């Protein structure tokens, strides 16, 4: 084992053997033959996760994954570890029990680090809070849809008590009062709460709207509420993890109370976009240089490609790039619990409508406001007017070739992390050929391509 570095990022090295196990779509765990030669395992320990890479004698990566506190792994025997990512599992055999123990201790230390840290802190940069909320308020589709959903269901607000979760500027609270609400409790954890309070006073609504500075998990209300309103959606619906706060607020909701929005559908579909794929791949070209001021950088090109492909792309696109009809996954806010969003698994089976290369999966979402009078929809689909959420695309590192009529199956696994976001695990397989591709992406660190 190599010596550990003294920096906060520790690098550990081991000589191991590797056995791949595949969890087939309709079968159990199948063990393949172990590697005949010793492989090199490197572990880069970060503050909250560990980057595990196994390479052969030529330095070619044969297995790579990011191990966080939500990754599934367990001990097998005295000196082996089974790590599962999506449909793929790898059994790592160490040379000795002592090396396994050292590796396991390091993983556990990383696993438990900062365990008590708040999930919901530092959502908004104080220096640009007003700019952040201005950007959302100027999204006409977003703001006008909320206004219409509340005002057209005024019977649900007249003389009612309303809770506005993560109120920001307080705009939704004002809409609730316009619809006839008797009292609105506007809760905001960031420093923009003082600006919301100023808007309330300057609009002479201090008797109607009470701004409470703090987190919904910590504040106390003097009464239960009839309606909860919020705008908790992030990129790809789940980013920022505000949905959990929204669900937590149900502790103040009366029996048969209402939630605006009421439920959300996230849509996904495979796409083909050679230009995007090559554009993303070429971002690592810098590391292909063999004489950068006399230094050969090419040994880092594989790591650079891996890093770039961990970034989802936030942009919009022509729907003609989609290769199949969408698959939909629904989150009902009235029924879901916070814990349901810690690990979200979305299985899919797509029937290909035409032949070509699949470069990744595209995502967008809709939310529904189910009122007593009308149901109003807010959509971020590529066929609808553009919103500040755009759409999100996640690339596969290796494109998959499919023919019209073939099926693509697999799953998307979203695992919540402490960066107020998710790690996205994608595994996809062409059923007719058995060829697979996968990727692990960091939703917190997207590429904004719409500028």
């Amino acid at each position: 084992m190599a010596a550990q570095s003294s920096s906060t990022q520790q690098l550990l090295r081991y000589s191991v053997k590797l056995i791949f196990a595949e969890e087939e779509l309709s079968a159990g765990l199948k063990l393949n033959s172990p590697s005949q030669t010793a492989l090199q395992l490197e572990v880069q320990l970060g503050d909250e996760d560990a980057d595990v890479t196994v390479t052969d004698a030529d330095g070619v990566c044969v297995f790579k994954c990011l191990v966080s506190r939500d990754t599934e792994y367990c001990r097998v025997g005295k000196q082996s570890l089974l790590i599962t990512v999506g449909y793929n599992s790898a059994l790592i055999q160490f040379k000795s029990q002592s090396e396994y123990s050292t590796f396991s201790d390091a993983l556990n230390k990383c696993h438990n680090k900062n365990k008590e840290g708040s999930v919901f802190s530092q959502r908004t940069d104080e220096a640009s809070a007003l700019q952040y909320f201005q950007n959302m308020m100027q999204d006409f589709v977003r703001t006008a849809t909320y206004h219409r959903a509340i005002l057209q269901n005024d019977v649900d607000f007249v003389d009612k008590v309303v809770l506005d979760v993560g109120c920001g500027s307080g705009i939704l609270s004002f809409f609730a009062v316009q619809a006839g609400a008797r009292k609105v409790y506007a809760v905001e954890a960031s420093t923009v709460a003082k600006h919301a309070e100023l808007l309330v006073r300057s609009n002479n609504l201090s008797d109607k709207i009470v701004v409470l500075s703090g987190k919904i998990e910590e504040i106390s209300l003097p009464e239960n509420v009839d309606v909860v309103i919020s705008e908790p959606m992030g990129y790809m619906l789940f980013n920022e993890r505000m949905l959990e706060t929204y669900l937590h607020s149900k502790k103040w909701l009366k029996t048969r109370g209402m939630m605006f929005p009421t439920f959300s559908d996230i849509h996904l579909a495979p796409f083909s976009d050679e230009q995007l794929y090559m554009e993303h791949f070429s971002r690592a070209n810098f590391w292909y240089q063999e004489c950068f001021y006399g230094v050969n950088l090419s040994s880092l090109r594989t790591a650079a490609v891996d890093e770039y492909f961990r970034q989802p792309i936030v942009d919009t696109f022509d729907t003609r790039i989609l290769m199949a009809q969408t698959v939909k996954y629904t989150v009902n806010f009235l029924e879901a619990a916070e814990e349901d969003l810690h690990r979200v698994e979305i299985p899919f089976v797509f029937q290909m409508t035409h032949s070509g290369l699949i470069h990744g999966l595209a995502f967008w979402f809709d939310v529904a406001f189910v009122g007593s009078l009308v149901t109003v929809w807010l959509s971020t689909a590529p066929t609808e007017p553009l919103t500040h959420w755009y759409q999100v695309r996640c690339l596969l590192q290796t494109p998959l070739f499919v023919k019209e009529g073939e099926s693509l199956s697999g799953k998307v696994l979203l695992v919540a992390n402490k960066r107020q976001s998710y790690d996205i695990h994608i595994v996809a397989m062409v059923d007719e050929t058995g060829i697979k591709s996968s990727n692990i992406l960091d939703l917190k660190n997207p590429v904004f391509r719409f500028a």
Side-chain angles (χ1 to χ4, degrees), residues 294-319:
V295 178
N296 186 345
L297 304 180
S298 61
S299 60
L300 294 180
R301 62 188 180 188
T302 300
V305 170
D306 289 344
E307 183 175 309
Y308 286 126
F309 271 81
R310 276 181 56 80
Q311 294 185 276
I313 297 102
V314 177
D315 70 348
T316 191
F317 52 82
D318 190 312
T319 56

Side-chain angles (χ1 to χ4, degrees), residues 159-170:
D159 293 328
K160 298 294 173 57
V161 179
V162 177
L163 171 60
D164 183 357
V165 181
C167 71
S169 64

Side-chain angles (χ1 to χ4, degrees), residues 250-376:
K250 288 191 292 184
K251 68 183 182 181
W252 297 109
L253 187 62
K254 294 178 182 178
T255 303
R256 297 185 182 178
M258 307 184 76
M259 298 186 77
F260 274 48
T262 315
F263 67 88
S264 180
D265 294 330
I266 185 166
H267 302 267
L268 56 152
F271 70 88
S272 181
D273 192 337
E274 184 74 23
Q275 179 181 343
L276 174 66
Y277 182 84
M278 295 309 299
E279 175 187 307
H280 214 58
F281 202 94
S282 65
R283 295 172 65 211
N285 281 350
F286 172 83
W287 299 100
Y288 278 65
Q289 297 180 80
E290 296 184 356
C291 190
F292 180 77
Y293 292 92
V295 178
N296 186 345
L297 304 180
S298 61
S299 60
L300 294 180
R301 62 188 180 188
T302 300
V305 170
D306 289 344
E307 183 175 309
Y308 286 126
F309 271 81
R310 276 181 56 80
Q311 294 185 276
I313 297 102
V314 177
D315 70 348
T316 191
F317 52 82
D318 190 312
T319 56
R320 287 175 293 184
I321 70 171
L322 300 179
M323 303 281 286
Q325 295 296 314
T326 63
V327 165
K328 180 178 72 174
Y329 180 87
T330 300
V331 180
N332 187 321
F333 301 133
L334 284 169
E335 298 176 357
E338 292 175 74
E339 296 75 19
D340 297 336
L341 301 186
H342 293 169
R343 182 184 177 89
V344 180
E345 185 172 321
I346 308 175
F348 59 78
V349 178
F350 297 109
Q351 299 298 322
M352 295 301 108
T353 55
H354 50 278
S355 303
L357 283 175
I358 295 175
H359 292 102
L361 297 180
F363 298 82
W364 61 90
F365 66 87
D366 306 327
V367 293
F369 303 83
V370 182
S372 298
L373 299 180
V374 295
T375 295
V376 177

Side-chain angles (χ1 to χ4, degrees), residues 118 229 389:
S118 172
I229 57 177
W389 289 286

Side-chain angles (χ1 to χ4, degrees), residues 220-244:
S220 180
L221 299 182
E223 57 186 320
N224 287 341
V225 303
D226 302 287
V227 186
V228 178
I229 57 177
S230 184
E231 195 269 76
M233 302 85 72
Y235 294 117
M236 202 170 146
L237 180 62
F238 297 103
N239 190 40
E240 295 184 359
R241 296 184 65 181
M242 262 293 291
L243 287 175
E244 290 163 71

